[in-house]
Amino acid sequence: MRNSFQHQIATGIMTLPVAIIISLVIWITAYNNLLELVPFIIGGITTYLLIELNTFFALIRSRSSLPSALFVILYSSSLFLHEYGKGECWILLLFLGSFYCLLRGHELKNTPGYTFHAFLGLGIASMIVTDLIYCIPLLFITMIQMRMLNLRTFFAGILGYCIPFWILTGYDLYKGNEIQVLTWFNGITQWNLQDYLNIPLPQSVTVIFVLLLSAISGINSMLLSLNDKVRTRIFIRVINITGIYITSLLVIKPMMINSLLPILMALASILFGYTMILKSNKFTNIFMIITVIFIAALAAFNMIIHFLPNIDLIQWMQ
């Protein structure tokens, strides 16, 4: 027999509308400047794409908006992601586009086109954050998992990744400017211990929560997928591998939090929804309750830090 609370949240038709309303309230309350509309729109598009991802690939056997609801709440609660910054918010959309192209090419005969577009999205993302070049091995690992890697798809991927930089080089040559590509990736090997010490408290707390959510959901999803069809099993494994890879990259390059954390949120939301729909017992019910409580606490904490940036937390708690 299903736990009523878990069942209502996981399959209820009001889960996503309520999450969207709460998200809108947070965005409006924390609004600072017009550029925040860009991350807001990207978050909305991603929320929709998660619904389509589940519908098209049938990752979850039951119809559920839980992954989208969880993502929109996590994304809106992380107020530091509301900032446009250097355009890091575009990374989420570009990465999901690449991820979709690879999944779409699974078990198709003519896959170089999907591979080309997947790497093209990553190439454009690398023009925003150069350290994303480290995600090239991830795409090849994903292709191996889905039996897509061959000589044609390999060179299609390389070509797709290089196209944005070729266009940039052509533009520089046309304008007579210095070729930027020659120095574009100079800083990708830099590593500084100070980067870990400079991580703001809201980012640190949010990352820890998302990683715990990802780990628990990931382990459960892998166990549950053993009883699922082969196609779904492969997709769940790919999502888990992607999450582990992105987490490792985040540990190595902590300055990429604003770029990589939204991706982890999207992946964790899919795995959490998959677990909550397919499994119902005392553990999952408690896990659901704890998750809801922690998300509410996370949102409140980030709001406090946002509106009182100079607050002394220790003194405030006393």
Side-chain angles (χ1 to χ4, degrees):
M1 183 176 180
R2 288 184 177 272
N3 295 293
S4 58
F5 178 78
Q6 177 186 339
H7 183 67
Q8 288 177 355
I9 297 295
T11 62
I13 60 174
M14 293 303 296
T15 300
L16 183 57
V18 170
I20 291 175
I21 292 172
I22 295 173
S23 174
L24 286 173
V25 171
I26 294 174
W27 277 90
I28 293 172
T29 304
Y31 174 80
N32 279 328
N33 58 71
L34 193 61
L35 281 177
E36 290 183 357
L37 288 177
V38 178
F40 174 78
I41 293 172
I42 290 174
I45 295 174
T46 303
T47 302
Y48 171 76
L49 289 178
L50 289 178
I51 297 175
E52 290 301 312
L53 190 70
N54 179 42
T55 302
F56 189 86
F57 296 108
L59 294 177
I60 305 175
R61 291 194 291 265
S62 300
R63 187 174 182 84
S64 173
S65 59
L66 180 58
S68 297
L70 179 60
F71 170 79
V72 74
I73 287 293
L74 285 174
Y75 187 75
S76 60
S77 298
S78 305
L79 303 187
F80 52 89
L81 295 179
H82 295 196
E83 302 173 2
Y84 184 80
K86 298 179 181 179
E88 296 96 333
C89 53
W90 292 105
I91 303 301
L92 171 63
L93 208 55
L94 291 166
F95 188 90
L96 287 182
S98 297
F99 194 68
Y100 171 84
C101 288
L102 290 183
L103 293 182
R104 186 70 178 84
H106 177 60
E107 293 184 343
L108 294 181
K109 293 182 179 179
N110 189 21
T111 58
Y114 289 108
T115 305
F116 174 85
H117 288 100
F119 279 82
L120 176 63
L122 181 61
I124 297 172
S126 297
M127 296 183 73
I128 302 172
V129 179
T130 55
D131 286 328
L132 285 172
I133 191 176
Y134 288 117
C135 286
I136 291 179
L138 171 62
L139 296 193
F140 283 123
I141 292 171
T142 301
M143 291 167 64
I144 293 172
Q145 290 293 317
M146 295 191 294
R147 307 183 188 95
M148 292 173 55
L149 185 60
N150 53 50
L151 199 60
R152 292 177 63 201
T153 56
F154 176 81
F155 284 108
I158 297 299
L159 180 63
Y161 186 84
C162 292
I163 283 291
F165 299 99
W166 284 348
I167 294 175
L168 178 64
T169 300
Y171 177 79
D172 288 336
L173 290 174
Y174 173 75
K175 288 292 186 179
N177 300 331
E178 181 183 354
I179 300 178
Q180 299 181 41
V181 175
L182 298 177
T183 58
W184 200 273
F185 297 101
N186 282 351
I188 63 171
T189 58
Q190 293 180 357
W191 182 85
N192 192 346
L193 181 62
Q194 193 65 31
D195 292 334
Y196 298 92
L197 303 177
N198 292 334
I199 301 176
L201 187 59
Q203 279 93 325
S204 300
V205 173
T206 305
V207 166
I208 291 172
F209 173 73
V210 172
L211 291 183
L212 287 174
L213 184 67
S214 301
I216 298 173
S217 301
I219 292 172
N220 278 280
S221 66
M222 288 296 292
L223 295 175
L224 288 171
S225 66
L226 296 176
N227 300 319
D228 219 322
K229 55 186 178 180
V230 175
R231 186 169 182 263
T232 302
R233 194 184 311 160
I234 292 174
F235 287 167
I236 293 298
R237 182 166 65 244
V238 165
I239 292 172
N240 274 288
I241 290 173
T242 303
I244 294 171
Y245 192 98
I246 294 296
T247 300
S248 302
L249 184 56
L250 183 60
V251 171
I252 297 172
K253 296 282 187 176
M255 74 291 294
M256 297 176 65
I257 284 181
N258 284 16
S259 301
L260 300 180
L261 183 57
I263 299 174
L264 286 177
M265 288 178 176
L267 298 176
S269 298
I270 296 172
L271 298 177
F272 181 80
Y274 180 83
T275 300
M276 290 297 133
I277 289 294
L278 299 185
K279 187 176 183 180
S280 180
N281 54 31
K282 187 175 181 180
F283 169 78
T284 56
N285 192 45
I286 294 174
F287 184 37
M288 172 72 82
I289 295 172
I290 292 176
T291 300
V292 172
I293 294 173
F294 268 73
I295 290 176
L298 180 67
F301 174 77
N302 284 337
M303 291 287 280
I304 291 173
I305 297 296
H306 177 77
F307 288 107
L308 300 172
N310 297 320
I311 188 172
D312 187 334
L313 288 179
I314 298 178
Q315 182 178 359
W316 179 75
M317 292 176 64
Q318 292 176 346

